[in-house]
Coordinates of all heavy atoms in Angstrom, one line a residue:
D141 N 83.1 133.6 95.6 CA 82.8 134.4 96.8 C 83.4 133.8 98.1 O 83.7 134.5 99.0 CB 81.3 134.4 97.0 CG 80.5 135.3 96.0 OD1 81.2 136.1 95.3 OD2 79.3 135.2 95.9
A142 N 83.7 132.5 98.1 CA 84.2 131.8 99.3 C 85.7 132.0 99.4 O 86.2 131.9 100.6 CB 83.8 130.4 99.3
R143 N 86.4 132.1 98.4 CA 87.9 132.2 98.5 C 88.3 133.4 99.2 O 87.7 134.5 99.1 CB 88.5 132.1 97.1 CG 88.3 133.3 96.2 CD 88.8 133.1 94.8 NE 88.5 134.2 93.9 CZ 88.7 134.2 92.6 NH1 89.4 133.2 92.1 NH2 88.4 135.3 91.9
S144 N 89.3 133.3 100.0 CA 89.8 134.5 100.7 C 90.8 135.3 100.0 O 91.1 136.4 100.3 CB 90.4 134.0 102.1 OG 91.6 133.2 101.9
S145 N 91.4 134.7 98.9 CA 92.4 135.4 98.1 C 92.1 135.2 96.6 O 91.8 134.1 96.2 CB 93.8 134.8 98.4 OG 94.8 135.4 97.5
R146 N 92.2 136.3 95.9 CA 92.0 136.2 94.4 C 93.1 135.4 93.8 O 93.0 135.0 92.6 CB 92.0 137.6 93.8 CG 90.8 138.4 94.2 CD 90.8 139.8 93.5 NE 90.8 139.7 92.0 CZ 89.8 139.5 91.3 NH1 88.5 139.5 91.8 NH2 89.9 139.4 90.0
D147 N 94.2 135.2 94.5 CA 95.3 134.3 94.0 C 94.9 132.8 94.0 O 95.6 132.0 93.3 CB 96.6 134.5 94.8 CG 97.2 135.9 94.6 OD1 97.0 136.5 93.5 OD2 97.9 136.4 95.5
T148 N 93.9 132.5 94.7 CA 93.4 131.1 94.6 C 92.4 131.0 93.4 O 91.4 131.6 93.4 CB 92.6 130.8 95.9 OG1 93.5 130.9 97.0 CG2 92.1 129.3 95.9
L149 N 92.8 130.3 92.4 CA 92.1 130.2 91.2 C 91.0 129.2 91.2 O 91.2 128.1 91.7 CB 93.1 130.0 90.0 CG 94.3 130.9 89.9 CD1 95.2 130.6 88.7 CD2 93.8 132.4 89.9
I150 N 89.9 129.5 90.5 CA 88.8 128.6 90.4 C 88.8 128.0 88.9 O 88.7 128.8 88.0 CB 87.5 129.2 90.7 CG1 87.5 129.8 92.1 CG2 86.3 128.2 90.5 CD1 87.8 128.8 93.2
I151 N 88.9 126.7 88.8 CA 88.9 126.0 87.5 C 87.5 125.5 87.3 O 87.0 124.7 88.1 CB 89.9 124.9 87.4 CG1 91.3 125.5 87.7 CG2 89.8 124.2 86.1 CD1 92.4 124.4 87.8
A152 N 86.8 125.8 86.2 CA 85.5 125.3 85.8 C 85.7 124.2 84.7 O 86.2 124.5 83.6 CB 84.6 126.4 85.3
R153 N 85.3 123.0 85.1 CA 85.4 121.9 84.1 C 84.0 121.5 83.6 O 83.0 121.5 84.4 CB 86.0 120.7 84.8 CG 85.8 119.4 84.1 CD 86.5 118.2 84.8 NE 85.8 117.0 84.6 CZ 86.2 115.8 85.1 NH1 87.3 115.8 85.9 NH2 85.5 114.7 84.9
T154 N 83.9 121.4 82.3 CA 82.6 120.8 81.8 C 82.9 119.5 81.1 O 83.8 119.3 80.4 CB 82.0 121.8 80.8 OG1 80.8 121.2 80.3 CG2 82.9 122.1 79.6
D155 N 81.9 118.6 81.4 CA 82.0 117.2 80.8 C 80.9 117.1 79.7 O 80.5 116.0 79.4 CB 81.7 116.2 81.9 CG 82.9 116.0 82.8 OD1 83.2 116.9 83.7 OD2 83.7 115.0 82.6
A156 N 80.5 118.2 79.1 CA 79.4 118.2 78.2 C 79.6 117.5 76.9 O 78.7 117.2 76.2 CB 78.9 119.6 78.0
I157 N 80.9 117.4 76.5 CA 81.1 116.9 75.1 C 80.5 115.5 74.9 O 79.8 115.2 73.9 CB 82.7 116.8 74.9 CG1 83.2 118.2 74.6 CG2 82.9 115.9 73.7 CD1 84.7 118.2 74.3
A158 N 80.6 114.6 75.9 CA 80.1 113.2 75.8 C 78.6 113.2 75.5 O 78.2 112.4 74.6 CB 80.5 112.4 77.0
G159 N 77.8 114.0 76.2 CA 76.4 113.9 76.1 C 75.7 114.9 75.3 O 74.6 114.7 74.7
E160 N 76.4 116.1 75.2 CA 75.7 117.2 74.5 C 76.5 117.7 73.3 O 76.0 118.5 72.5 CB 75.6 118.4 75.5 CG 74.7 118.1 76.7 CD 74.6 119.3 77.6 OE1 75.2 120.3 77.4 OE2 73.8 119.1 78.6
G161 N 77.7 117.3 73.1 CA 78.5 117.7 71.9 C 79.4 118.8 72.2 O 79.3 119.5 73.2
L162 N 80.4 119.1 71.3 CA 81.4 120.1 71.5 C 80.8 121.5 71.6 O 81.2 122.3 72.4 CB 82.4 120.0 70.5 CG 83.6 121.1 70.5 CD1 84.3 121.0 71.9 CD2 84.5 120.9 69.4
D163 N 79.8 121.8 70.7 CA 79.3 123.2 70.7 C 78.6 123.5 72.0 O 78.8 124.6 72.6 CB 78.2 123.3 69.6 CG 78.8 123.3 68.2 OD1 80.0 123.6 68.1 OD2 78.1 123.0 67.2
R164 N 77.9 122.6 72.6 CA 77.3 122.9 73.9 C 78.3 123.0 75.0 O 78.2 123.7 76.0 CB 76.3 121.8 74.3 CG 75.0 121.8 73.5 CD 74.2 123.1 73.8 NE 74.0 123.2 75.3 CZ 73.9 124.4 75.9 NH1 74.0 125.5 75.3 NH2 73.7 124.4 77.2
A165 N 79.4 122.2 74.9 CA 80.5 122.2 75.9 C 81.1 123.6 75.8 O 81.4 124.2 76.9 CB 81.5 121.1 75.6
L166 N 81.3 124.1 74.6 CA 81.9 125.4 74.5 C 81.0 126.5 75.1 O 81.5 127.5 75.7 CB 82.3 125.7 73.0 CG 83.4 124.8 72.4 CD1 83.4 125.0 70.9 CD2 84.7 125.1 73.0
A167 N 79.7 126.4 74.8 CA 78.8 127.3 75.3 C 78.7 127.3 76.9 O 78.7 128.4 77.5 CB 77.4 127.1 74.8
R168 N 78.8 126.1 77.4 CA 78.8 126.0 78.9 C 80.1 126.7 79.4 O 80.0 127.4 80.4 CB 78.8 124.5 79.3 CG 77.4 123.9 79.3 CD 77.5 122.4 79.7 NE 76.2 121.8 79.9 CZ 75.6 121.6 81.1 NH1 76.3 122.0 82.2 NH2 74.5 121.0 81.3
A169 N 81.2 126.4 78.8 CA 82.5 127.0 79.3 C 82.4 128.5 79.3 O 82.9 129.2 80.2 CB 83.6 126.5 78.5
A170 N 81.8 129.1 78.3 CA 81.7 130.5 78.2 C 80.8 131.1 79.4 O 81.1 132.1 79.9 CB 81.1 130.9 76.9
V171 N 79.7 130.3 79.7 CA 78.9 130.7 80.8 C 79.7 130.7 82.1 O 79.5 131.6 83.0 CB 77.6 129.8 80.9 CG1 76.9 130.0 82.2 CG2 76.7 130.0 79.7
Y172 N 80.5 129.7 82.3 CA 81.3 129.5 83.5 C 82.3 130.6 83.6 O 82.6 131.1 84.7 CB 81.9 128.1 83.6 CG 80.9 127.0 83.4 CD1 81.4 125.7 83.0 CD2 79.6 127.2 83.7 CE1 80.5 124.7 82.9 CE2 78.7 126.1 83.5 CZ 79.1 124.9 83.1 OH 78.3 123.8 83.0
R173 N 82.9 131.0 82.5 CA 83.8 132.1 82.5 C 83.1 133.4 83.0 O 83.6 134.2 83.8 CB 84.4 132.3 81.1 CG 85.4 133.5 81.0 CD 86.5 133.5 82.0 NE 87.4 134.6 81.8 CZ 88.3 135.1 82.7 NH1 88.4 134.5 83.9 NH2 89.1 136.1 82.4
E174 N 81.9 133.6 82.4 CA 81.1 134.8 82.8 C 80.8 134.8 84.3 O 80.7 135.8 84.9 CB 79.9 134.9 82.0 CG 79.0 136.1 82.2 CD 79.6 137.4 81.8 OE1 80.5 137.3 80.9 OE2 79.2 138.4 82.3
A175 N 80.6 133.6 84.9 CA 80.3 133.5 86.3 C 81.5 133.7 87.2 O 81.3 133.8 88.4 CB 79.7 132.1 86.6
G176 N 82.7 133.8 86.6 CA 83.9 134.1 87.4 C 85.0 133.1 87.4 O 86.0 133.3 88.1
A177 N 84.9 132.0 86.6 CA 86.0 131.0 86.6 C 87.2 131.6 86.0 O 87.2 132.4 85.1 CB 85.5 129.8 85.7
D178 N 88.4 131.3 86.7 CA 89.7 131.8 86.2 C 90.3 131.0 85.1 O 91.1 131.5 84.3 CB 90.6 131.9 87.4 CG 90.1 132.7 88.6 OD1 90.0 133.9 88.4 OD2 89.7 132.1 89.6
I179 N 90.0 129.7 85.1 CA 90.6 128.7 84.2 C 89.5 127.9 83.6 O 88.6 127.5 84.4 CB 91.7 127.9 84.8 CG1 92.8 128.7 85.4 CG2 92.2 126.8 83.8 CD1 93.8 127.9 86.2
L180 N 89.5 127.6 82.3 CA 88.4 126.8 81.7 C 89.0 125.4 81.3 O 90.1 125.3 80.8 CB 87.8 127.5 80.5 CG 87.2 128.8 80.8 CD1 86.7 129.4 79.5 CD2 86.0 128.7 81.8
F181 N 88.2 124.4 81.5 CA 88.6 123.0 81.3 C 87.5 122.3 80.6 O 86.5 121.9 81.3 CB 89.0 122.4 82.6 CG 89.4 120.9 82.6 CD1 89.7 120.2 81.4 CD2 89.4 120.2 83.8 CE1 90.1 118.9 81.4 CE2 89.7 118.8 83.8 CZ 90.0 118.2 82.6
V182 N 87.6 122.1 79.3 CA 86.6 121.3 78.6 C 87.2 119.8 78.5 O 88.1 119.6 77.8 CB 86.4 121.9 77.2 CG1 85.4 121.0 76.4 CG2 85.9 123.3 77.2
E183 N 86.5 118.9 79.2 CA 87.0 117.6 79.4 C 86.7 116.7 78.2 O 85.6 116.8 77.6 CB 86.5 117.0 80.7 CG 86.8 115.6 81.0 CD 88.3 115.3 81.2 OE1 89.1 115.5 80.3 OE2 88.6 114.7 82.3
A184 N 87.7 115.8 77.9 CA 87.5 114.7 77.0 C 87.2 115.0 75.6 O 86.3 114.3 75.0 CB 86.5 113.7 77.6
P185 N 87.8 116.0 75.0 CA 87.7 116.1 73.5 C 88.3 114.9 72.8 O 89.2 114.3 73.3 CB 88.5 117.4 73.2 CG 89.4 117.6 74.3 CD 88.7 117.0 75.5
R186 N 87.7 114.5 71.7 CA 88.0 113.2 71.1 C 89.0 113.2 70.0 O 89.5 112.2 69.6 CB 86.7 112.5 70.7 CG 85.8 112.1 71.8 CD 84.4 112.0 71.4 NE 83.8 113.3 71.0 CZ 82.5 113.5 70.9 NH1 81.6 112.5 71.2 NH2 82.0 114.7 70.6
E187 N 89.3 114.4 69.5 CA 90.1 114.6 68.3 C 91.0 115.8 68.5 O 90.6 116.7 69.2 CB 89.3 114.6 67.0 CG 88.5 113.4 66.8 CD 87.5 113.7 65.6 OE1 87.5 114.8 65.0 OE2 86.8 112.8 65.2
R188 N 92.1 115.8 67.8 CA 93.0 117.0 67.8 C 92.2 118.2 67.3 O 92.4 119.3 67.8 CB 94.2 116.8 66.9 CG 95.2 117.9 66.9 CD 96.3 117.7 65.9 NE 97.3 118.7 66.1 CZ 97.2 120.0 65.6 NH1 96.1 120.4 65.0 NH2 98.2 120.8 65.8
E189 N 91.3 118.0 66.3 CA 90.5 119.1 65.8 C 89.6 119.7 66.9 O 89.4 121.0 66.9 CB 89.7 118.7 64.6 CG 90.5 118.3 63.3 CD 91.3 117.1 63.4 OE1 91.0 116.2 64.3 OE2 92.3 117.0 62.7
E190 N 89.1 118.9 67.7 CA 88.3 119.4 68.8 C 89.1 120.2 69.8 O 88.7 121.3 70.3 CB 87.6 118.3 69.5 CG 86.5 117.7 68.7 CD 85.6 116.7 69.5 OE1 86.1 116.1 70.5 OE2 84.5 116.4 69.1
L191 N 90.3 119.8 70.1 CA 91.3 120.6 70.9 C 91.5 121.9 70.3 O 91.6 122.9 71.0 CB 92.6 119.8 71.1 CG 92.5 118.6 72.1 CD1 93.7 117.7 71.9 CD2 92.4 119.1 73.5
G192 N 91.7 121.9 69.0 CA 92.0 123.2 68.3 C 90.8 124.1 68.4 O 91.0 125.3 68.5
R193 N 89.6 123.6 68.2 CA 88.4 124.4 68.4 C 88.3 125.0 69.8 O 87.9 126.2 69.9 CB 87.1 123.7 68.0 CG 86.9 123.5 66.5 CD 85.5 123.0 66.3 NE 84.5 123.9 66.8 CZ 83.2 123.6 66.9 NH1 82.8 122.4 66.7 NH2 82.3 124.5 67.4
I194 N 88.6 124.2 70.8 CA 88.5 124.8 72.1 C 89.5 125.9 72.3 O 89.1 127.0 72.8 CB 88.8 123.6 73.1 CG1 87.7 122.6 73.1 CG2 89.0 124.2 74.6 CD1 88.1 121.3 73.8
G195 N 90.7 125.7 71.8 CA 91.7 126.8 71.9 C 91.3 128.0 71.1 O 91.4 129.2 71.6
A196 N 90.8 127.8 69.9 CA 90.4 129.0 69.1 C 89.3 129.8 69.7 O 89.2 131.0 69.6 CB 90.1 128.5 67.7

Side-chain angles (χ1 to χ4, degrees):
D141 288 345
R143 65 186 176 185
S144 64
S145 171
R146 291 182 60 86
D147 291 333
T148 302
L149 305 183
I150 303 301
I151 303 173
R153 165 178 148 179
T154 179
D155 286 79
I157 286 180
E160 300 180 356
L162 179 58
D163 288 340
R164 286 296 305 149
L166 293 171
R168 277 178 173 261
V171 170
Y172 304 159
R173 175 56 175 163
E174 183 67 23
D178 301 293
I179 300 171
L180 299 177
F181 175 19
V182 179
E183 174 66 300
R186 292 158 292 198
E187 300 172 355
R188 186 186 185 281
E189 289 71 21
E190 290 188 338
L191 286 162
R193 281 193 60 195
I194 293 168

